[in-house]
Amino acid sequence: LRSISVTQPTPTQPPSPPMDSKRLVLVLSLAVIIGCTLTAAATVPKEVYIGAVLPLGASVGFGALSDLTQMALDDINNSTAILPNTTLKLYVNSSGYYSPNNALRSWIWQTQTWSGNSKPAIAVISGIHATPAVAMSYMATEYKVPFLSPVLADDVFSNKQHHSYFYRTIPPTSAGTDVFVALMRKYGWTRAVVLATDDDSGRSIHSTMTTLAKDTSTGPALDLLLLTVDMKNKEDYEAKFQTIKDSSYRVVFSTTSGGHTQFEYMRSIGLLKKEYAWVANAWCDNPINTLMHDDVAGFMCIRPVPAAGPTWNAWVARAKQRPMQKFVPSIGFYQGGYYDIGWIIANALHKMFHANASNVVAATGENLKTYLAQTDMTGVIGQIKFDALGNPVRDFQVVNYQMPTPSTLPFVLWWNRVVFTYSMSDKKLSEQVTAPVFLEGRTTVPTDAPVRTLLRVSDGLYYTFVSLMAIGIVLAIVFAGLIQKNAKHPVIRSSSPLFCQIIVLGSIILLCTIAVFGLDKDTAGVCESLPLLASVGFWLIVAPSFAKTYRLHKIFNNKKLRIQKIPNSRLLMEVGGSIVMELIWFALFMGIGKPTANLVAAEGKLYTDVWVCDNEASAAWWVLFVAPKALMLVASGRLAYQVRHLVHSFNESKQIAYTIYTIGLLSLIALPLGQMQRTAPDSALVIVGGCLWFGTVSVLMFMFGSKFFNIYVSEDWRLADKNAFMQTNASSGSRSSRSPGHSRAGKHPGSRRGASAAKRAMEKRQQRVNNSSTHSRNASTAQDAPPKLQQVAMVQPRMDDPPSPARDDVDTPRGTEVPAQTTDAAQDAQAAPAAAVAVEGGNDNRV
C-alpha cells in the first residue's frame, strides 16, 4: 500500500473553540499539584531523626554514651559546613538496653510510622550488648534501616545475609587472627592454643585460624589446639584450663573475656608462669580491675590502633567538660566511636542532599546505606573507612601490659607498652617498638612448647659402672695370666687351659657391654653392638664349658669302654661353629629388622625424652635372641648333671651348674626389668649393668678362683683325687669280673652300689697282697714301665702294706690298659697329671 501513491484532497480543519473557565481551572490545578510534588521530592528535610538504644544515665566504665553522640549532633547542628539546612535530632530509648524484646519494641517505635511515631529515625545506633543488638540488626535488614555500632566486635555481624545494614567502627574479633599469626611468625612459634567462645564469633575465629594455619607462604604450617570455653561456667572453664595445663602447648591465644575468679584458677594450676605466653584480643580495651594487675602482668594484647594525636586530645578535653562525663575515669576508643558515628551519618546525609543540587536523594534508610558504604573520613578515633562487610579498615597494635603505677581508682586501662604495629594493607608487623616483658617478669621470648630435656645416664653412675667394669676386666686378665702360667699344673691341665682362656675372653666381652649400654642409644653403633656383644660373650663362656664337659662325658661315661679320641681341634670347631652361627643369624636379622634409636618420652618425667633401641620385629627379635641361648643353658645343665660323679680333677659340674644358674637367673631379672625401665636410663643401667657385672665376676671367681686357691693355698685336691680314684679303680675292678656293660655295681663309679663293690674288691685285693711274696719285683716293674703306660696309669690307693701284683685274676676288658701298681708315695702326686695327659694329650687321647 505504501508503494501506491494516492492523492487525496486535504480536509479543511475547523477553528478550535475557546477554552472555557472550568477547563482552565482543571489544568492549572493539575500543574500546581505536579509542581508541588516535584518540589517536595527535591527539598532537603529540615529535621532528620537518629535512633539510639542506650542507657540514659552513665554506663559502668563507659560513661553516658548517648551524651557523646548528642555532643556530635550538637557540633553538626552548629556547623554551617555540613547539613546547613537540616537539624539532626536523637531518639534515645533505654528500655531495650538489655532485653531483646524491649530492644525490638524500641527499634520499631523509633523507625516505623505504623508504631505511632510520625517522625521515624533514618538510622539507629546500638548499645554495648550483643544479644539485643543481634535482634535489632535482623530487623534493620528487614526494614532497610542502617544500624551502626562502635563497640560490637562479634563476628556474627559480618554475615551480610542477615546483617547487611550493619556498620561498625571497631574491627571484628576475628580480625586479630591475622595479627596473631604474624606474631607467631615473628617469634618463631609453630604451636598454640586458640581459646574461643562457643558461638558465631568463636567458630569464625577457629575457622579463620584453621585456614591461616595451612598457609605456608609465610612460614611452616601451624599446629593449633582449638578449644571452646564458657567463661561463665566454672566446670567448663576449669576443664579447658586443665586441658591446656596437661598439653605441651605454651602459647595461648585467648579471644574470650575473663574475670578475677578465672585468673585465680589459672594461677592456681600454673598457667600464669613464665613458661607460658598469653596473647589476648577480646578485652584489651576493657577496664581491668586493679585486683587483676598481678594476673595479667606480662600479657600481650592485640587491639586496633587507638585514637591519638592533637585532634584526639582536644576532643577528650572538650568531652570531659560535659556534665555527664565528669565522673568517667578515662575516655577511650569506644567513647570516641559514639561521637564519630554521629559524623558518619551526617556525612552520608550531606552527600545525599547536597552532592547534586539538581537531584536531591530522598531521605530513606536504603539510600543512606549506599552513602554509608562510601564513607572515607577522619574522625577523632582516626581514619574511618568500611570494607564490603561493613567492617572498618584499621591497623592494629600488639601491646604489652606491664605493671602500672599504683592507682587509687577502682578501674584502670591496663595496657601501657606498644610492642608492634600491624598494617592491614601490607599484612606485616612493624619492627619492634618496645621490648616486651612476659609473665613473671621474663624478658626472653617463651618457647611454644616446653623445653624438653634429654635424659641420660648420670655421669657419676656411669663412671661407677665403668670402674667396676675395669676391675672385672683386670681380674679376668689376671686369671688369664695365671692360667697360662699354670697350664701344666694338674688342676689346670685337667680343665683344658685353651678353653679356659676362651671363657676369660667371653667374660671380658660381656664386661665391655656394660660401658656400651650406658652410652646414649643414638650414639653410632650402640643399638647394633649391644646384642652382638651380649651374644658373643655368652657363647664364648657357655660353649667352651659345654664342649670340654661333653668330652669328659663321652670318655668317662662310656658304657662300652671303647677308645674315645676327642682332640681339642674338634672341640674348637664346635665352639667356633656356634660363634659363626650366631654371627650369621645376627647379620640376617640386621638385614630384616635392624635396631634403631628412637626418641621417646621418659616415663614419669614431664617434657623429658630418652633414646631407646627399637626394631620393627620386636617380638621375633626377642624370641630369636633368647631361644638359642636358653636351649644351650638347658643342654649344659643336663650335661653337668651327668658328669657330677667324675673325679675331682676333671669334675667341673659344680662350676658349670653355677654358671648356668647365674646366667639364667640374672637373665630372667635383667631382660624384663631392663626392658621395662628402658625409659629410665639410670635404673636400666643399675639393673642390666649390675646383673652383667655380678654374673660375670662371680662366674670367673667360682670357675677359676677355686682352682688357684687349691694351687696356691690348699692341697686338698691331692687327697680328693686320691680318694676318688680309689673308688674308681675299685669299682672298675668289680665291673671287670663281669662282661662289659653288665656291671651290677651301677652305671657310675661313684654310685652307692659301685662303692660297696669297690670296698669288697679292695678287701679281697688287700688279702692277696698280704700273701704275695713278689712285692719287690712288682714295684720295680712298675717303675721301669714304659712312659706311655705311665701316662695312662690311674692313681692307686697308698697303703701301709705292699700293693698287689700288677695283674691279678680279675678279667680286663679288651682295649683297656691295666694300670701299674706302685708303692712310692711320690707316685700319688704324679697320678693326677698322668690322668690329665690322658685327656689333654696329643693324638692318643684315650682312657
Side-chain angles (χ1 to χ4, degrees):
L1 294 176
R2 292 178 181 176
S3 64
I4 301 174
S5 178
V6 179
T7 300
Q8 295 182 352
T10 302
T12 301
Q13 298 294 335
S16 300
M19 182 177 297
D20 57 6
S21 59
K22 293 181 179 181
R23 182 178 296 180
L24 179 61
V25 172
L26 179 60
V27 171
L28 292 176
S29 300
L30 290 175
V32 171
I33 294 173
I34 294 173
C36 292
T37 304
L38 294 175
T39 302
T43 301
V44 176
K46 293 186 178 297
E47 292 182 346
V48 174
Y49 289 85
I50 300 172
V53 184
L54 289 168
L56 293 174
S59 174
V60 176
F62 292 96
L65 300 178
S66 60
D67 180 62
L68 298 174
T69 304
Q70 186 62 55
M71 177 183 176
L73 298 187
D74 293 342
D75 292 342
I76 295 168
N77 293 332
N78 294 330
S79 174
T80 58
I82 185 171
L83 297 176
N85 301 318
T86 304
T87 300
L88 299 181
K89 294 187 176 181
L90 184 65
Y91 283 141
V92 180
N93 193 326
S94 62
S95 63
Y97 182 52
Y98 293 105
S99 169
N101 292 333
N102 292 337
L104 289 177
R105 294 190 185 98
S106 299
W107 184 90
I108 291 172
W109 181 87
Q110 291 177 358
T111 62
Q112 304 302 311
T113 56
W114 49 265
S115 66
N117 184 3
S118 60
K119 299 177 180 180
I122 195 171
V124 178
I125 302 173
S126 79
I128 63 175
H129 292 280
T131 303
V134 170
M136 289 187 288
S137 182
Y138 273 107
M139 295 296 291
T141 301
E142 181 68 22
Y143 288 93
K144 299 180 180 180
V145 178
F147 189 53
L148 297 91
S149 174
V151 295
L152 297 177
D154 301 73
D155 281 84
V156 65
F157 297 105
S158 295
N159 184 351
K160 292 296 110 174
Q161 181 180 357
H162 303 295
H163 306 281
S164 59
Y165 277 73
F166 183 85
Y167 290 87
R168 52 186 162 190
T169 58
I170 182 174
T173 305
S174 61
T177 55
D178 291 327
V179 187
F180 178 67
V181 171
L183 188 65
M184 292 184 69
R185 303 296 190 196
K186 192 79 172 181
Y187 286 142
W189 294 333
T190 59
R191 310 171 76 251
V193 178
V194 181
L195 204 60
T197 54
D198 189 12
D199 52 20
D200 291 329
S201 294
R203 286 185 286 272
S204 178
I205 290 170
H206 281 175
S207 176
T208 304
M209 286 297 300
T210 301
T211 302
L212 294 174
K214 297 178 182 178
D215 183 11
T216 58
S217 60
T218 58
L222 304 179
D223 178 15
L224 302 178
L225 175 61
L226 306 178
L227 295 177
T228 57
V229 62
D230 182 3
M231 282 296 187
K232 297 179 180 179
N233 186 331
K234 182 178 180 181
E235 293 183 357
D236 184 66
Y237 70 69
E238 287 185 355
K240 298 304 169 56
F241 288 153
Q242 190 62 48
T243 300
I244 299 175
K245 172 66 177 178
D246 296 338
S247 71
S248 60
Y249 295 85
R250 288 297 176 265
V251 177
V252 184
F253 180 42
S254 176
T255 64
T256 64
S257 59
H260 185 58
T261 303
Q262 289 83 353
F263 277 93
E264 281 297 311
Y265 180 75
M266 292 159 60
R267 182 175 295 280
S268 68
I269 63 174
L271 287 182
L272 299 181
K273 291 186 175 297
K274 62 182 179 180
E275 292 81 9
Y276 289 86
W278 280 80
V279 182
N281 80 329
W283 30 273
C284 295
D285 294 314
N286 290 348
I288 299 299
N289 193 303
T290 54
L291 296 176
M292 296 174 58
H293 284 169
D294 291 337
D295 297 330
V296 299
F299 271 58
M300 301 186 78
C301 197
I302 299 171
R303 69 175 185 185
V305 174
T311 302
W312 169 260
N313 295 333
W315 176 81
V316 170
R318 287 180 54 230
K320 287 185 177 181
Q321 299 302 318
R322 297 180 69 86
M324 299 188 69
Q325 306 297 328
K326 289 184 178 181
F327 300 100
V328 178
S330 62
I331 296 178
F333 185 83
Y334 293 155
Q335 290 90 332
Y338 276 98
Y339 177 85
D340 278 345
I341 279 182
W343 281 93
I344 293 171
I345 296 173
N347 280 320
L349 290 173
H350 186 80
K351 291 179 181 179
M352 290 171 58
F353 299 153
H354 302 286
N356 190 348
S358 61
N359 185 19
V360 178
V361 178
T364 64
E366 186 175 4
N367 292 333
L368 179 61
K369 175 182 179 297
T370 302
Y371 288 93
L372 285 174
Q374 301 173 11
T375 299
D376 190 357
M377 58 168 279
T378 301
V380 295
I381 63 173
Q383 191 67 24
I384 300 174
K385 186 176 181 180
F386 298 113
D387 61 15
L389 299 178
N391 299 320
V393 179
R394 195 172 186 85
D395 293 341
F396 282 80
Q397 288 179 342
V398 179
V399 296
N400 177 220
Y401 176 62
Q402 300 174 11
M403 284 297 293
T405 57
S407 175
T408 57
L409 297 175
F411 297 93
V412 295
L413 296 177
W414 57 266
W415 71 78
N416 61 355
R417 293 295 175 91
V418 177
V419 182
F420 299 104
T421 58
Y422 181 82
S423 172
M424 291 298 294
S425 57
D426 297 337
K427 301 293 183 182
K428 291 182 180 179
L429 282 176
S430 68
E431 294 298 324
Q432 181 172 286
V433 180
T434 304
V437 177
F438 297 93
L439 297 176
E440 295 185 338
R442 177 173 180 168
T443 56
T444 58
V445 179
T447 58
D448 59 357
V451 178
R452 303 192 69 85
T453 58
L454 184 62
L455 188 61
R456 306 171 182 269
V457 175
S458 59
D459 292 340
L461 182 64
Y462 180 74
Y463 291 124
T464 299
F465 271 92
V466 170
S467 301
L468 292 175
M469 177 198 71
I471 294 173
I473 292 176
V474 170
L475 179 64
I477 294 174
V478 170
F479 281 148
L482 292 176
I483 290 171
Q484 186 64 30
K485 178 181 178 181
N486 298 277
K488 295 183 179 181
H489 192 279
V491 174
I492 302 301
R493 292 189 70 179
S494 63
S495 299
S496 301
L498 175 62
F499 295 105
C500 291
Q501 297 286 20
I502 296 176
I503 293 173
V504 171
L505 176 61
S507 301
I508 294 175
I509 293 176
L510 274 183
L511 290 170
C512 291
T513 307
I514 299 175
V516 178
F517 187 84
L519 297 174
D520 288 335
K521 302 304 183 290
D522 63 327
T523 306
V526 169
C527 289
E528 296 86 348
S529 61
L530 277 175
L532 179 62
L533 291 174
S535 297
V536 172
F538 172 86
W539 288 106
L540 288 178
I541 291 177
V542 178
S545 301
F546 179 87
K548 64 180 185 177
T549 306
Y550 175 76
R551 177 166 62 184
L552 293 176
H553 167 69
K554 295 297 291 183
I555 293 175
F556 287 103
N557 292 335
N558 180 17
K559 296 180 180 180
K560 297 183 179 181
L561 296 180
R562 293 179 179 177
I563 296 176
Q564 298 291 329
K565 294 184 178 180
I566 307 177
N568 287 343
S569 58
R570 174 181 169 183
L571 298 182
L572 282 175
M573 290 181 61
E574 294 177 356
V575 173
S578 63
I579 302 299
V580 171
M581 290 298 296
E582 179 75 10
L583 294 177
I584 292 175
W585 166 84
F586 189 80
L588 291 175
F589 186 79
M590 284 294 167
I592 298 173
K594 181 180 179 180
T596 56
N598 293 325
L599 194 63
V600 300
E603 186 175 357
K605 294 182 179 293
L606 291 175
Y607 319 123
T608 305
D609 297 324
V610 62
W611 287 102
V612 298
C613 294
D614 285 321
N615 56 68
E616 297 178 358
S618 181
W621 160 256
W622 287 111
V623 171
L624 294 175
F625 185 77
V626 174
K629 300 172 180 59
L631 294 176
M632 188 64 178
L633 291 177
V634 172
S636 300
R638 181 175 181 274
L639 192 61
Y641 179 80
Q642 292 178 344
V643 299
R644 68 189 186 282
H645 293 301
L646 290 185
V647 292
H648 180 75
S649 296
F650 302 99
N651 192 345
E652 291 184 310
S653 60
K654 291 183 179 179
Q655 288 86 339
I656 295 175
Y658 179 82
T659 300
I660 295 170
Y661 174 79
T662 302
I663 293 177
L665 179 61
L666 295 181
S667 297
L668 291 176
I669 296 174
L671 289 178
L673 292 182
Q675 186 69 11
M676 292 171 59
Q677 297 294 322
R678 65 176 189 161
T679 59
D682 284 352
S683 300
L685 180 59
V686 169
I687 295 171
V688 177
C691 289
L692 283 173
W693 187 85
F694 176 78
T696 304
V697 172
S698 62
V699 166
L700 285 174
M701 292 298 298
F702 197 79
M703 185 170 288
F704 301 117
S706 59
K707 297 181 184 298
F708 294 116
F709 178 82
N710 288 334
I711 292 174
Y712 292 102
V713 179
S714 173
E715 293 187 357
D716 291 343
W717 62 275
R718 300 175 183 270
L719 299 177
D721 280 345
K722 180 174 61 177
N723 295 332
F725 280 117
M726 180 188 301
Q727 294 182 1
T728 301
N729 287 338
S731 177
S732 298
S734 175
R735 289 197 305 269
S736 65
S737 62
R738 300 179 182 274
S739 61
H742 294 82
S743 173
R744 294 182 179 178
K747 295 177 63 176
H748 300 289
S751 64
R752 183 176 301 176
R753 295 175 61 186
S756 178
K759 182 178 181 180
R760 291 193 300 271
M762 290 301 298
E763 292 175 352
K764 183 178 179 180
R765 182 172 296 181
Q766 181 65 31
Q767 182 66 31
R768 291 176 179 174
V769 169
N770 292 335
N771 296 331
S772 175
S773 61
T774 58
H775 169 64
S776 299
R777 180 175 57 82
N778 289 336
S780 61
T781 302
Q783 294 177 358
D784 297 336
K788 184 72 175 182
L789 184 59
Q790 291 181 8
Q791 289 182 351
V792 298
M794 306 298 290
V795 176
Q796 299 300 314
R798 184 177 63 183
M799 294 170 286
D800 296 335
D801 296 329
S804 59
R807 290 183 180 272
D808 54 17
D809 57 349
V810 179
D811 295 335
T812 302
R814 184 178 180 181
T816 303
E817 299 185 22
V818 180
Q821 304 295 327
T822 179
T823 59
D824 191 355
Q827 292 287 346
D828 294 345
Q830 298 176 359
V837 173
V839 177
E840 289 289 329
N843 296 327
D844 293 332
N845 295 336
R846 56 190 176 181
V847 175

